[in-house]
Structure formats: structure tokens, C-alpha cells
């Protein structure tokens, strides 16, 4: 799908109408919302509680390790400054929920690794990881454009996550009460859920100056509330969203591919590949440390390390922003982002699909 997007995108055959490209970011966000609603409707809160501490650590430790790795490696490999390396690390440091979440949902459906809540832990971590990284990206680019590092921006990270959870719990409970009292078709419920999700993302953008909250986390959380309160309804709604995802997936990855600049791919050398792989080693070390003192064996830990490598959506969304801001490192950041997508998205997806049967147990 990514390759198809590259071929029909504006940098090769230019077959996608400009009006579609202008709203590409919004379409990709709609697809992400559908993914996270699906995740919430399949995520069992009791399983997540069973995992506990590692699930929390997976939200920020691997990304922080990858950022440190980028700061250590990029100046030596690419000859850039420490601040430019930090900006690059903040772009590359996010995993792709678009690649990871659907695969973790499939593992939950197959009951593979669910005896130790492994897919649930990865699913939750991948959804929060992006919030942490994007706040750091905003902070570093502000500093590079002459601003100052704001303590508030770092405080916003836990505040936005906690508020996202609280708002998600409230929205989920209100939706449960409404669906329990008003009898309507499941397809109408799907439209209502999507409407609430879009309203939350709009509210996040409108209120971020005053009240920071992570709307995508809220979207996933209210799905878990519906599952907790009325599981049979969650199963039916999940089947509806599974069908929506078949179309949304095409839009998401084709438009990610369309955002890839072929000229950037051509200019990327072996150093870019070495840098990305080196930073991934730091990320995998972060995953390993997050899983210390757990009941996971070495095979299960290896699976978690591999499953946390794909990049796609966040890199496509913010990879070009430093260039648009006029930063000296802008073209380099875009180039590395493109290489990261093309290298890690297919390899990470393949690693998850190929190794899960070998490394994870299946519940009977």
C-alpha cells in the first residue's frame, strides 16, 4: 500500500487529485481513530491491570532510549548538532500505531500471548508513546527557532495523558448509558461513536492552549469502557469497525506513501540506514529494560522488542515540519523520516507476523 501510494503520489505519477492531498492529514487521522476505537473495544481492562508497571514504562522508556541513541549517534554519523539530533530523534522516536495496533488486535482475537497480556501491553504503550514524543518534538523545534524550553510543555505530557484517560472514561460511560437506554441499530451507534471521536479531536486542537488532553487516548479508553460495561455490544460494534478498517487501512497507508518524497529517498545514503538501525537498538534496549522483573521469558521479550520497531504515521505527519519551519536540518529530518518509514514499517510488520507463532503461547 505504501509503495502504491508512492507510485500514484505527487512525486512520481501524480495521479492523486490535489484536493485529496490537501486533506490527507485529516483522512489519516480518521483512519487512526478507527484503529484506536477497534483497539478499545477489544482491550480488556483487567488484562491491562494484570500487566501493570511494564505497560506504563512501555509508554515512554523505549522512545526516550531511542531519542538518547539518536542524540549520541547522529552527530557522529551525520555531523549535525546535538539540538538537530534531538529534533530528529523526536520525529523518529514514535512507533506506528497504524502498523502495530491492528496486529495486536489480531493476536488478541487469536488468543496468542494473551495469557500474559502481551498484545494488550504493546497496544496500550504504542498508543501513548506518540503523545510523549510529539510534545518533545514541539519543545525541541521551539528551541531551534529561537524559543525557550518551557517547563509547562513537559508538565503537559502527564497532564494530557491523564486528562485523556479521564475524558475517555466519562465519554465511554455516557455512551454506555445512552446505548443501554435508547435502542438503536448498531450502525447508528457506530456513527455516534465516530462523531464523539471527531468532536474530541477537534476539542483537543481548540483547547490545547488552555487544557491539554490526548484525544486519541480518550478515544481508545471509551471503547474499553463500553467493553467493560456491555461486552456483547462491544463484540458487535467491533465487527462493524473491523469492516470500516478494511477501507480506512487503504487510505491510511496509500496516503502515507503519497507523502514520501522520492528525491529524499535518492539522497539518503547508507549512513541514514545505519543511523536508523542504531537508534532501533537503543529502542529495543528500552523495551528490554521496561520488561525487567516480569514473568515474560526470553522469547516473549524478544517479540515485544521486535513489535516495537515499526515507524509510519507520526513520521509522515511531522517529518516535513522542520523543513517548513525553515530549520537547517529540515531536509535531513525529512529524508531520515522517509527512510525510516520505508525500512521499518514493512520489516516491523513482517517481524510481528512471522515471529508471533514462534515466540508467543496460544491460550486454549
Amino acid at each position: 500500500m505504501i509503495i502504491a501510494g508512492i507510485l500514484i503520489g505527487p512525486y512520481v505519477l501524480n495521479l492523486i487529485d490535489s484536493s485529496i492531498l490537501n486533506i490527507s492529514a485529516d483522512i489519516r487521522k480518521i483512519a487512526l481513530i478507527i484503529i484506536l476505537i477497534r483497539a478499545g473495544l477489544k482491550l480488556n481492562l483487567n488484562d491491562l491491570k494484570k500487566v501493570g508497571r511494564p505497560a506504563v514504562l512501555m509508554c515512554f522508556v523505549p522512545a526516550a532510549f531511542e531519542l538518547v541513541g539518536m542524540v549520541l549517534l547522529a552527530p557522529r554519523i551525520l555531523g549535525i548538532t546535538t539540538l538537530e539530533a534531538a529534533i530528529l530523534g523526536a520525529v523518529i522516536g514514535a512507533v506506528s500505531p497504524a502498523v502495530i495496533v491492528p496486529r495486536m488486535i489480531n493476536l488478541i482475537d487469536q488468543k496468542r500471548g494473551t495469557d500474559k497480556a502481551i498484545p494488550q501491553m504493546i497496544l496500550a504503550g504504542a498508543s501513548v508513546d506518540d503523545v510523549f514524543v510529539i510534545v518533545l518534538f514541539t519543545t525541541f523545534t521551539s528551541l531551534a527557532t529561537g524559543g525557550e524550553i518551557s517547563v509547562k510543555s513537559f508538565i503537559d505530557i502527564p497532564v494530557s495523558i491523564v486528562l485523556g484517560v479521564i475524558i475517555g472514561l466519562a465519554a465511554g460511560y455516557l455512551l454506555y448509558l445512552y446505548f443501554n437506554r435508547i435502542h438503536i441499530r448498531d450502525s447508528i451507534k457506530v456513527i455516534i461513536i465516530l462523531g464523539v471521536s471527531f468532536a474530541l479531536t477537534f476539542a483537543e486542537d481548540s483547547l490545547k492552549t488552555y487544557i491539554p488532553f490526548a484525544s486519541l487516548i480518550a478515544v481508545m479508553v471509551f471503547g474499553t469502557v463500553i467493553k467493560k460495561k456491555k461486552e456483547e455490544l462491544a463484540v458487535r460494534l467491533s465487527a462493524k469497525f473491523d469492516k470500516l478498517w478494511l477501507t480506512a487501512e487503504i487510505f491510511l497507508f496509500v496516503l502515507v506513501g503519497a507523502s514520501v518524497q522520492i528525491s529524499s529517498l535518492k539522497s539518503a545514503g547508507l549512513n541514514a540506514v545505519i543511523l536508523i538501525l542504531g537508534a532501533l537498538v537503543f529502542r529495543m534496549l528500552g523495551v528490554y529494560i521496561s520488561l525487567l522483573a516480569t514473568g515474560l521469558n526470553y522469547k516473549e521479550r524478544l517479540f515485544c522488542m521486535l513489535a516495537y520497531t515499526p515507524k509510519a504515521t507520526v513520521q509522515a505527519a511531522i517529518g516535513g515540519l522542520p523543513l517548513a519551519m525553515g530549520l537547517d536540518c529540515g531536509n535531513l529530518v525529512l529524508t531520515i523520516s522517509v527512510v525510516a518509514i520505508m525500512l521499518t514499517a514493512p520489516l516491523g510488520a513482517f517481524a510481528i507476523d512471522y515471529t508471533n507463532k514462534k515466540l508467543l503461547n496460544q491460550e486454549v
Side-chain angles (χ1 to χ4, degrees), residues 253-289:
F253 288 109
V254 168
L255 289 174
V256 165
S259 69
V260 170
Q261 293 192 19
I262 289 295
S263 58
S264 296
L265 275 178
K266 288 178 182 176
S267 65
L270 183 60
N271 283 349
V273 176
I274 292 171
L275 176 63
I276 291 163
L277 294 178
L280 281 180
V281 171
F282 278 83
R283 167 172 278 275
M284 294 171 80
L285 178 61
V287 173
Y288 182 83
I289 289 173

Side-chain angles (χ1 to χ4, degrees), residues 234-250:
V235 170
R236 297 200 311 271
L237 291 175
S238 181
K240 297 280 187 184
F241 279 101
D242 286 349
K243 293 175 182 176
L244 278 179
W245 170 242
L246 293 175
T247 303
E249 181 181 30
I250 296 170

Side-chain angles (χ1 to χ4, degrees), residues 43 48 73 123 137 151-152 169 227 254 262 264 267 343:
L43 188 59
L48 210 51
L73 297 175
L123 190 155
F137 171 77
V151 175
K152 180 180 178 296
L169 290 172
K227 179 176 175 62
V254 168
I262 289 295
S264 296
S267 65
L343 182 66

Side-chain angles (χ1 to χ4, degrees), residues 17-335:
D17 192 272
S18 59
S19 60
I20 298 294
L21 294 172
N22 290 339
I23 59 169
S24 171
D26 294 321
I27 294 173
R28 295 202 304 265
K29 195 160 192 177
I30 290 170
L32 269 179
I33 285 169
I34 291 171
I35 293 172
L36 293 172
I37 293 171
R38 287 179 72 216
L41 291 170
K42 293 181 185 274
L43 188 59
N44 191 315
L45 287 175
N46 291 330
D47 289 338
L48 210 51
K49 288 177 186 174
K50 184 169 68 176
V51 179
R53 176 185 57 85
V56 175
L57 293 178
M58 290 280 278
C59 294
F60 65 91
V61 171
F65 266 69
E66 187 168 9
L67 178 59
V68 169
M70 193 65 76
V71 169
L72 291 175
L73 297 175
R76 291 169 174 79
I77 295 174
L78 301 176
I80 59 178
T81 67
T82 301
L83 179 57
E84 289 172 337
I87 293 171
L88 180 59
V91 173
I92 303 300
V95 294
S96 172
V99 178
I100 293 175
V101 172
R103 282 167 170 76
M104 295 307 109
I105 290 173
N106 290 339
L107 293 182
I108 292 171
D109 289 340
Q110 296 167 22
K111 297 188 180 299
R112 192 169 293 281
T114 50
D115 55 329
K116 297 181 182 177
I118 292 170
Q120 291 92 331
M121 175 181 64
I122 295 172
L123 190 155
S127 303
V128 179
D129 173 282
D130 295 352
V131 178
F132 172 67
V133 170
I134 289 171
V135 171
L136 291 179
F137 171 77
T138 304
T139 302
F140 294 142
T141 51
S142 173
L143 190 61
T145 52
E148 297 180 355
I149 292 182
S150 168
V151 175
K152 180 180 178 296
S153 64
F154 288 100
I155 295 173
D156 282 351
I157 297 174
V159 170
S160 64
I161 292 170
V162 171
L163 282 180
V165 171
I166 292 171
I167 291 169
L169 290 172
Y173 188 69
L174 290 173
L175 283 171
Y176 157 72
L177 290 177
Y178 180 75
F179 293 154
N180 208 35
R181 294 181 183 180
I182 309 296
H183 295 286
I184 52 178
R185 293 168 55 192
D186 286 345
S187 54
I188 303 299
K189 291 172 184 171
V190 167
I191 293 171
I192 292 171
I193 288 172
L194 285 172
V196 171
S197 303
F198 298 155
L200 286 174
T201 55
F202 174 77
E204 178 187 14
D205 292 336
S206 303
L207 302 174
K208 61 185 176 185
T209 308
Y210 311 102
I211 308 172
F213 76 95
S215 60
L216 293 180
I217 294 174
V219 166
M220 187 173 73
V221 168
F222 73 61
T224 65
V225 174
I226 293 172
K227 179 176 175 62
K228 177 79 172 175
K229 290 291 185 180
K230 201 166 186 177
E231 188 162 357
E232 67 276 14
L233 172 61
V235 170
R236 297 200 311 271
L237 291 175
S238 181
K240 297 280 187 184
F241 279 101
D242 286 349
K243 293 175 182 176
L244 278 179
W245 170 242
L246 293 175
T247 303
E249 181 181 30
I250 296 170
F251 275 99
L252 177 62
F253 288 109
V254 168
L255 289 174
V256 165
S259 69
V260 170
Q261 293 192 19
I262 289 295
S263 58
S264 296
L265 275 178
K266 288 178 182 176
S267 65
L270 183 60
N271 283 349
V273 176
I274 292 171
L275 176 63
I276 291 163
L277 294 178
L280 281 180
V281 171
F282 278 83
R283 167 172 278 275
M284 294 171 80
L285 178 61
V287 173
Y288 182 83
I289 289 173
S290 300
L291 300 177
L292 289 176
T294 63
L296 273 59
N297 60 41
Y298 76 93
K299 287 184 177 180
E300 292 161 339
R301 292 183 188 189
L302 176 60
F303 175 81
C304 293
M305 291 161 72
L306 293 171
Y308 235 51
T309 57
K311 319 281 183 182
T313 32
V314 173
Q315 289 71 30
I318 67 174
L321 291 183
L323 183 61
M325 293 174 182
L327 298 181
D328 293 339
C329 63
N331 194 54
L332 179 66
V333 171
L334 179 60
T335 301

